[in-house]
Amino acid sequence: MKRIGIFVCHCGNNIAGTLDIDRVVEAIREFPEVVYAIDYKYMCSDPGQQLIREHILEDQLDAVIVAACSPSMHETTFRRTAEAAGINPYQTEIANIREQASWVHQKQQEAATNKAIETIRTIVAKAHYNQSLMPFYLPLVKRSLVIGGGIAGMQAALDIADAGYPVVLVEKADRLGGRMAELSGLYLDSDAAADPLGQKIKAVTHHPNIQVITQAAITEVGGYVGNFTVQIEQRTASPADQDPAGELVPYSFDIGAIVVATGYDLYDKKNLGEYGGGRYPDVIDGLQLEEMLRPDGPTGGRIVRPSDGKVPKEMVWVQCAGSRDPELHKPYCSKVCCMYVAKQSMAYKQQVPDGQATVFYIDIRSQGKDYEEYVQRAMEEHDVLYIRGKASKVFQENGHVTVWGVDTLTGLPLEVEADLVVLATAIVPRADAQELGQRLRVGTDEHGFLSEAHPKLRPVESLTAGVFLAGAAHFPKDIPETVAQASGAASKVLSLFSQRQMVQEPTIAFVDPELCSGCGLCIPACPYDARSMHEWQHIAVVNTALCQGCGACAMVCPNKACRVRNLTQGQILSMMEAYL
Amino acid sequence: MRVRLSAESVHNELVQRIEEYSGQGLMACYQCGKCAAGCPVAFAMDMLPSQVIRYAQLGLVEPLLESKTIWLCAACQTCYTRCPKGIDLSRIMEALREIVMLEKGSHINYDALTSEEQADWPQQAFIGGFRKYSV
């Protein structure tokens, strides 16, 4: 016999405004094993929780049911409350009479009250069979893997390594630096990108806690948060060698947490037929101009026409080339273009003061500290002519690349016979990001960017525990935002590593070895890869860390050997019986 | 008909004169339209005050010289007091009127004035009204 206490919450008027609380309390007092039932205005408030604790002691309760909101709101709250009064947390249950009764049946008060009573009746039936459980403690490997050696990956690696944990930093190319190494300067202060980046690279390569593996790829990821096993392959040949594949050196690491920072690509100019589709040498993209502007670049920092090496007298930038175009290309704003175009156009005007810089834009997005002032400086102090209107066509004619656009502010159709056109093409994820995402069990959105766990509140976590996101692999972002996200991801890794062990909820599946026939049906049924056959016993086993307690295995098991703790077939049937 | 933009056309002689006479940087305007929204005589204009600057930014001064707008501007400076970029549009209007006058050759030759005399140039509202009713 259990001694169950039921606490019915009014949730202000959320529940009490619809349900007849007195009738609910009166009815549930008659349920088997219920020794106490009471209602209160806000059960989650301090006095509400105090009420629960008092009656656990006073009425010697050994199980608590709180009839209130969804368990996703306050199950943890009430389990802790009851635990403080000496009850095992898994003997506390929530009966959801708000989302499932009062909110959805506001106009049928009597029926809603009946439904609440019956909901509580089923939970009482379940509580009868609930066992006291202890959470599982799993080992935690305090070594982190960072994928991508750009500014995002390096920042995350440094933050984790500075805190004293080992980091394996894997980079696809033969050098660190990523896209930032391809930039000529950084906007706002026009610093050469090489200086701050060089310092970071030095800090990473000399850090005793960071192992850098360049020319490498992740070939396999197994395991789960705290206990990943990662296979890496490194090419030994340099890209200049005859045989680009070279020899492959395999690495294997036990890893506790992973930061993905694989960066971005530019949308291929070939996709933009109206802008020449990549056929004209004097129509280039933003990174091509960055290469020219780099002091160590092929032109020594000078802007010249690729076709004939002449200094361009007329230069045009086309913003949103492939961005903000839901019909034909990418619907999103690529976020960095407005700023780098301002930077590039000012750099051009400094090199060619009597040249004409024209920018076709549809909106200027300069949201950042000092960003707006920077763009206004391009217009005001450097005479960069901003034309509000998306360029419609770029074509080659008489040794020029002519741009057709319209100034929507006056309604005048315009034409510029340019010497050099820069397309600020859309930012897209790396071509192999999706494949890597699958390997890591991290979702990608329709464009191939890695998905965050929550767009507002969990922007650096993926939905896979222990895998975190940094930089443009997640979405287009500039360097300061990337660095901030990378440090955020690193701090998530560190808070994980600050635990002594991994804690796993005990309400997961288990296999009764006496009943299991080893048919193996549960293995493909498990959506979390948490099932396998025992090496020699020929019975199914549950991987405690991966199991989420969904119960799919219990559904398919023909012998009822597989059960979910505190949600067994017996419990479900008795709940059904109570309800019907 | 497409308007062809080039380094020469954008920075033509008339544009330079507007900037010189008015003392205003045309490129500072980011075309928010607040001047046009608040102008008490905009209803009667054939070209909005903000468009006057836009045309000048594009190097298209001729349509401005032919517009009624520059003569309807009362130089009340409502636009200037509200402009987020601090552009004195009434001075630009005045510069445009000035250019028309000078082209007709019937008034004071601004270019002939010394820089001290230019500094002492009378209140533009006064001179603007004087000009407007004496053409």
Side-chain angles (χ1 to χ4, degrees):
Chain A
M1 277 291 282
K2 277 203 170 161
R3 293 182 63 82
I4 300 174
I6 309 182
F7 298 84
V8 181
C9 180
H10 295 193
C11 196
N13 270 335
N14 278 297
I15 293 170
T18 302
L19 302 186
D20 180 348
I21 297 284
D22 289 343
R23 188 154 78 80
V24 171
V25 174
E26 208 175 305
I28 61 177
R29 276 196 179 126
E30 305 305 317
F31 292 165
E33 298 180 320
V34 174
V35 295
Y36 184 77
I38 196 164
D39 58 300
Y40 188 70
K41 197 168 267 187
Y42 286 106
M43 211 57 87
C44 61
S45 67
D46 282 348
Q49 294 188 49
Q50 184 58 31
L51 186 73
I52 296 173
R53 284 193 293 265
E54 275 170 18
H55 282 281
I56 288 171
L57 301 174
E58 220 166 274
D59 297 286
Q60 294 176 13
L61 305 177
D62 54 16
V64 165
I65 294 171
V66 184
C69 53
S70 159
S72 67
M73 281 292 292
H74 279 308
E75 188 179 65
T76 315
T77 313
F78 292 121
R79 282 187 168 170
R80 285 203 187 124
T81 307
E83 194 177 15
I87 289 191
N88 182 281
Y90 301 93
Q91 298 287 3
T92 298
E93 288 286 345
I94 303 286
N96 183 352
I97 59 166
R98 192 178 75 170
E99 283 84 346
Q100 291 178 359
S102 70
W103 275 3
V104 283
H105 305 297
Q106 280 178 16
K107 289 188 180 135
Q108 298 129 295
Q109 302 201 344
E110 200 189 334
T113 304
N114 291 340
K115 187 177 178 184
I117 293 167
E118 294 310 310
T119 303
I120 298 168
R121 192 198 300 274
T122 63
I123 300 296
V124 171
K126 177 179 191 291
H128 173 73
Y129 293 101
N130 271 352
Q131 292 180 336
S132 294
L133 303 172
M134 289 289 284
F136 293 105
Y137 292 94
L138 305 165
L140 170 61
V141 178
K142 295 184 182 180
R143 180 191 294 112
S144 158
L145 169 73
V146 176
I147 308 172
I151 185 63
M154 289 196 295
Q155 184 65 48
L158 281 172
D159 286 359
I160 298 165
D162 283 346
Y165 297 103
V167 178
V168 178
L169 177 58
V170 174
E171 165 59 45
K172 186 166 65 174
D174 59 344
R175 52 157 182 83
L176 292 175
R179 287 292 184 199
M180 191 172 163
E182 298 175 32
L183 305 182
S184 63
L186 311 176
Y187 47 71
L188 297 188
D189 55 4
S190 290
D191 266 353
D195 304 343
L197 185 69
Q199 287 167 13
K200 286 270 182 231
I201 293 174
K202 214 178 283 175
V204 167
T205 34
H206 293 168
H207 205 295
N209 287 338
I210 301 177
Q211 180 178 356
V212 179
I213 308 178
T214 52
Q215 299 198 90
I218 310 293
T219 52
E220 218 183 301
V221 180
Y224 43 87
V225 55
N227 293 279
F228 293 105
T229 52
V230 178
Q231 313 299 328
I232 297 164
E233 264 180 9
Q234 185 183 32
R235 280 177 289 115
T236 51
S238 83
D241 282 358
Q242 291 282 321
D243 174 14
E247 215 176 303
L248 291 172
V249 182
Y251 293 82
S252 180
F253 289 100
D254 290 331
I255 295 289
I258 301 173
V259 178
V260 196
T262 48
Y264 68 93
D265 265 327
L266 288 186
Y267 192 51
D268 197 335
K269 291 198 294 286
K270 284 199 182 75
N271 299 316
L272 301 161
E274 69 270 41
Y275 299 150
R279 283 171 296 141
Y280 308 138
D282 296 333
V283 178
I284 60 176
D285 63 34
L287 281 176
Q288 284 174 285
L289 187 62
E290 286 299 321
E291 189 184 23
M292 267 192 226
L293 284 166
R294 252 181 22 233
D296 61 342
T299 59
R302 283 175 52 247
I303 301 177
V304 294
R305 279 158 57 102
S307 61
D308 56 9
K310 280 188 191 150
V311 174
K313 189 80 196 302
E314 303 275 345
M315 245 187 108
V316 170
W317 281 261
V318 177
Q319 292 198 169
C320 303
S323 301
R324 299 183 66 196
D325 186 338
E327 191 63 27
L328 303 171
H329 304 290
K330 304 290 174 190
Y332 51 85
C333 164
S334 290
K335 222 171 171 189
V336 298
C337 328
C338 284
M339 295 305 294
Y340 84 66
V341 167
K343 177 194 77 173
Q344 293 182 339
S345 62
M346 282 191 268
Y348 167 69
K349 285 294 284 188
Q350 273 162 1
Q351 285 189 22
V352 191
D354 61 340
Q356 174 65 31
T358 306
V359 177
F360 286 89
Y361 72 97
I362 54 176
D363 284 296
I364 307 275
R365 299 190 165 176
S366 48
Q367 308 148 339
K369 198 174 173 184
D370 294 330
Y371 285 20
E372 173 64 19
E373 295 90 321
Y374 187 74
V375 176
Q376 288 191 29
R377 212 152 67 225
M379 300 177 185
E380 212 170 323
E381 292 173 23
H382 297 266
D383 268 355
V384 178
L385 183 60
Y386 274 75
I387 306 281
R388 203 262 164 210
K390 203 162 181 166
S392 168
K393 188 177 175 182
V394 180
F395 57 98
Q396 224 165 12
E397 193 184 49
N398 309 326
H400 293 284
V401 267
T402 301
V403 182
W404 277 6
V406 70
D407 178 57
T408 60
L409 300 171
T410 56
L412 293 171
L414 304 176
E415 169 180 283
V416 183
E417 280 190 348
D419 299 310
L420 183 59
V421 174
V422 181
L423 304 177
T425 42
I427 302 267
V428 295
R430 294 277 190 182
D432 49 3
Q434 204 144 7
E435 198 190 321
L436 180 67
Q438 280 167 4
R439 210 159 275 170
L440 294 164
R441 294 190 298 270
V442 171
T444 45
D445 67 12
E446 56 188 310
H447 313 296
F449 292 114
L450 300 170
S451 301
E452 71 279 24
H454 188 279
K456 299 271 185 279
L457 302 177
R458 296 173 68 193
V460 307
E461 292 155 82
S462 78
L463 270 176
T464 299
V467 180
F468 306 99
L469 314 175
H474 163 239
F475 195 67
K477 48 177 75 76
D478 68 358
I479 291 167
E481 261 188 276
T482 293
V483 169
Q485 194 188 20
S487 287
S491 86
K492 287 282 171 193
V493 171
L494 295 176
S495 68
L496 178 70
F497 285 0
S498 71
Q499 298 175 65
R500 287 170 77 184
Q501 290 158 309
M502 300 285 305
V503 181
Q504 164 73 310
E505 283 284 310
T507 46
I508 57 170
F510 69 100
V511 176
D512 185 338
E514 301 287 318
L515 294 176
C516 178
S517 65
C519 70
L521 279 176
C522 53
I523 294 170
C526 177
Y528 302 99
D529 286 338
R531 281 316 181 96
S532 56
M533 293 302 282
H534 190 276
E535 270 171 38
W536 47 269
Q537 283 186 336
H538 200 66
I539 55 168
V541 288
V542 180
N543 183 323
T544 308
L546 292 179
C547 179
Q548 303 290 310
C550 74
C553 50
M555 278 290 298
V556 297
C557 180
N559 298 343
K560 297 190 174 62
C562 185
R563 296 193 286 273
V564 176
R565 285 188 191 82
N566 278 1
L567 201 64
T568 60
Q569 284 92 330
Q571 278 178 298
I572 292 171
L573 286 175
S574 66
M575 287 169 80
M576 301 279 280
E577 247 164 51
Y579 202 75
L580 293 174
Chain B
M1 186 60 194
R2 257 171 216 286
V3 177
R4 180 165 294 182
L5 295 184
S6 67
E8 290 74 28
S9 78
V10 171
H11 300 284
N12 63 46
E13 184 241 343
L14 287 172
V15 173
Q16 288 169 26
R17 278 170 70 189
I18 295 172
E19 291 199 325
E20 188 197 337
Y21 294 178
S22 67
Q24 306 299 304
L26 293 168
M27 297 306 275
C29 171
Y30 56 27
Q31 289 288 299
C32 69
K34 200 178 178 192
C35 50
C39 176
V41 282
F43 70 93
M45 290 175 168
D46 53 355
M47 197 177 258
L48 290 173
S50 54
Q51 284 180 317
V52 168
I53 301 195
R54 188 60 185 161
Y55 270 74
Q57 286 177 338
L58 297 173
L60 306 170
V61 181
E62 281 80 6
L64 303 178
L65 301 179
E66 286 157 24
S67 74
K68 284 186 196 160
T69 294
I70 59 171
W71 302 103
L72 285 168
C73 168
C76 69
Q77 302 201 337
T78 303
C79 51
Y80 176 36
T81 52
R82 294 177 185 170
C83 176
K85 295 302 296 283
I87 299 165
D88 190 344
L89 180 50
S90 56
R91 278 183 182 271
I92 294 170
M93 296 287 195
E94 172 71 355
L96 286 160
R97 292 193 289 266
E98 199 87 52
I99 291 168
V100 175
M101 295 292 136
L102 289 165
E103 295 309 308
K104 291 190 175 178
S106 60
H107 287 78
I108 297 163
N109 183 359
Y110 184 87
D111 288 336
L113 300 177
T114 65
S115 53
E116 286 88 11
E117 284 168 329
Q118 282 180 11
D120 287 339
W121 202 243
Q123 192 68 36
Q124 62 173 332
F126 172 76
I127 199 82
F130 182 73
R131 285 275 165 71
K132 212 158 45 162
Y133 298 115
S134 62
V135 170

